Amino acid sequence: MARLLEGKVAVVTGAGAGIGRAHALALAHAGAKVVVNDLGTDRHGAGRGGQAADLVAAEIQAQGGEAVANHDTVATREGVDGILWAAQSKFGRVDVWVNNAGILRDRTLLNLTDEDFDRVLEVHLRGTFLGTQVAARAMRVQGQGGRIVNTSSLSGLLGNFGQGNYGAAKAGIYGLTRVAALELERFGIAVNAIAPVAITRMTNDLKMFAGSTEADMGPQHIAPAAVFLASPLADGITGQVLGVQGSKIFLYRMETTDGVEKDAAKGPWTPEEIQASWAKISA
Ligand code: NAI
C-alpha cells in the first residue's frame, strides 16, 4: 500500500529536537523526503550548532528514509531562502512546510525587556511569516497546491502567566494562519496550525507535567496531527487550529457571544447602557 506522503517533500523547522524531531521522523515514516532544519540553539535562543539537525537527518536515513539537514535560522529572509533552497536543490520541490522552530524567554510583563520581546517574536511570528511566504510562493509556482502547518500555543490562544512575548507571538501565528488560509485557498494551499502540549526541553520543568511520563505526554503524540494535516486525509481542511495534548485532540475556535443590539435610530450605546446590558453581552 502506498504511504500517505510518498514522493512528497516536507520541510520541518526546528526539527533537531522535541516536537519538530517527532514531526520529521513521522513525515519520513509516511514516505516524505524531509528537510530537517535546526539552528541548534538552547531553549532561550542562545548559541547555535549543526549537530541537532544532522543527527535527526541521520536517524531518518538509518531508518531507510530520505532527509537532508539544514542549519539556517527561520528568523531572517536569507535564512528561510536557504531552507527553501535546501529542499529545492536536494529534492526539487516543496509540498509541505511545518513552521515549528521556537524559543522561550519567559518573564512577567513588568520585567520583560525589549530584547526578550523582539527575539521571541522574531523566531516565532516573523519566522512563521517568512516560512509561510517562501513556501507558498514556491508552491504557487509548482501549481500543485501544498500544505503549511504552523505551531501556535494555548499561551497565545487562552493566555498564560509570564509569557507576554511568547503569547503575543503565538496569538499572532493564529491570526496569520487564518488570513493565510483565506488567501492561499485559491492556489490549493491549506494552512492549519497545531497548538501542542508535550514534554520537551522547553517544558520539562513545568509543574503541569508533574506525574506525567514521556509515554503519556511525549512529542510522539503530536506528530500524527502534522502528518494528518500534511496528507490527503485532510483535504478540505484549512484555517483550523488543532489542539493536541497527549492522547487528547480537539479544535480551538474563536468564540463570539450572541450579544445585544440597540435600535440605531436611538443613537450609539452609552457607557451606562453597556454596563446595564453587560449580563446579556457576555452571556
Ligand atoms: P524545543 O526547544 O525542544 O525545540 C525547538 C527547536 O527549535 C530547537 O531544536 C531549536 O534549536 C530550534 N530553533 C530555535 N530557534 C531557531 C531558529 N531561529 N531557526 C531554526 N531553528 C530554531 O521545543 P519544542 O517544545 O519541541 O517546541 C516546538 C514548537 O512547539 C515551538 O514552536 C513551541 O513554541 C511549540 N509549543 C510547544 C509546547 C510544548 O508543550 N512543548 C507547547 C506549545 C507550543
Side-chain angles (χ1 to χ4, degrees):
M1 203 171 82
R3 290 180 294 175
L4 272 179
L5 296 173
E6 200 70 60
K8 300 287 184 190
V9 176
V11 167
V12 184
T13 69
I19 294 169
R21 173 179 168 272
H23 287 337
L25 292 170
L27 289 162
H29 190 69
K33 300 167 192 170
V34 183
V35 176
V36 179
N37 158 264
D38 204 294
L39 186 59
T41 69
D42 71 11
R43 79 174 188 171
H44 305 296
R48 54 172 64 198
Q51 217 198 357
D54 295 346
L55 286 174
V56 175
E59 202 175 343
I60 290 172
Q61 287 158 357
Q63 291 173 13
E66 286 191 64
V68 63
N70 168 277
H71 313 119
D72 288 316
T73 177
V74 298
T76 66
R77 173 70 60 186
E78 298 71 36
V80 292
D81 283 346
I83 301 170
L84 177 65
W85 178 242
Q88 291 177 326
S89 59
K90 178 78 180 170
F91 301 126
R93 54 186 294 112
V94 61
D95 302 289
V96 175
W97 188 292
V98 183
N99 289 303
N100 164 83
I103 60 169
L104 272 190
R105 295 196 180 188
D106 289 0
R107 275 170 206 255
T108 55
L109 200 55
L110 298 185
N111 296 311
L112 202 53
T113 64
D114 294 7
E115 163 83 9
D116 289 336
F117 186 82
D118 290 346
R119 291 295 85 76
V120 166
L121 270 280
E122 247 171 45
V123 176
H124 289 278
L125 185 53
R126 189 173 155 77
T128 300
F129 154 65
L130 292 169
T132 300
Q133 193 183 58
V134 293
R137 284 177 173 166
M139 290 166 184
R140 184 182 56 176
V141 171
Q142 290 167 188
Q144 294 175 321
R147 297 295 169 88
I148 295 169
V149 181
N150 294 331
T151 309
S152 188
S153 168
L154 64 80
S155 293
L157 300 168
L158 302 177
N160 197 26
F161 192 94
Q163 295 197 309
N165 50 358
Y166 181 79
K170 292 305 201 185
I173 290 171
Y174 165 76
L176 190 62
T177 301
R178 299 288 300 172
V179 172
L182 293 172
E183 292 185 2
L184 299 176
E185 198 163 19
R186 68 201 145 122
F187 304 115
I189 302 169
V191 189
N192 294 287
I194 296 173
V197 170
I199 299 177
T200 65
R201 69 173 190 178
M202 194 182 260
T203 54
N204 58 15
D205 52 354
L206 296 185
K207 278 196 209 119
M208 66 186 281
F209 288 122
S212 299
T213 63
E214 276 283 333
D216 300 334
M217 293 299 296
Q220 73 278 9
H221 291 287
I222 315 297
V227 175
F228 166 72
L229 291 172
S231 80
L233 298 178
D235 278 355
I237 297 176
T238 193
Q240 302 297 324
V241 181
L242 204 51
V244 190
Q245 307 184 344
S247 51
K248 182 174 175 189
I249 301 191
F250 56 95
L251 279 190
Y252 281 95
R253 286 201 190 116
M254 180 66 82
E255 185 181 60
T256 60
T257 62
D258 289 340
V260 280
E261 257 185 272
K262 181 181 170 181
D263 181 356
K266 293 184 177 157
W269 285 83
T270 66
E272 290 76 14
E273 286 171 338
I274 294 174
Q275 187 205 20
S277 296
W278 188 251
K280 278 189 183 166
I281 292 169
S282 60

